[in-house]
Amino acid sequence: MFSWRLVLAPPEALETVVIHELAHLRVFGHGPRFWALVASRRPDHVVWRRWLRTHSLELHGALIDAETVAVIPGLESSTG
């Protein structure tokens, strides 16, 4: 399952996640064969995996205020 927050990431990061997940249809686990398959489709996957790790908190925190407002009645009047 993909997080909707991936739409906030660069397209290359999203593509890396998709390739990663599709590679699991061919190879179970994260062994050398798996990473070779990922690299055959996305040679710069290491760069984008690093980007995702570096920005994961930003992505997970995205729109948190809007989500909080949506689920907590009356909160919209206290936010600026």
Side-chain angles (χ1 to χ4, degrees):
M1 174 183 288
F2 295 103
S3 169
W4 63 265
R5 289 174 175 88
L6 284 171
V7 302
L8 303 172
E12 296 86 354
L14 174 57
E15 184 176 316
T16 300
V17 172
V18 171
I19 290 168
H20 176 110
E21 295 306 325
L22 289 173
H24 281 302
L25 297 175
R26 298 239 172 158
V27 181
F28 180 76
H30 293 101
R33 278 185 51 226
F34 174 82
W35 291 115
L37 178 58
V38 171
S40 73
R41 302 296 190 260
R42 187 86 202 167
D44 61 348
H45 70 94
V46 173
V47 171
W48 293 107
R49 289 175 51 227
R50 187 178 308 119
W51 188 96
L52 286 162
R53 277 193 304 276
T54 301
H55 297 278
S56 64
L57 291 178
E58 294 168 56
L59 293 174
H60 283 284
L63 305 178
I64 191 70
D65 293 337
E67 291 174 350
T68 303
V69 168
V71 296
I72 302 177
L75 187 62
E76 66 277 354
S77 62
S78 65
T79 59

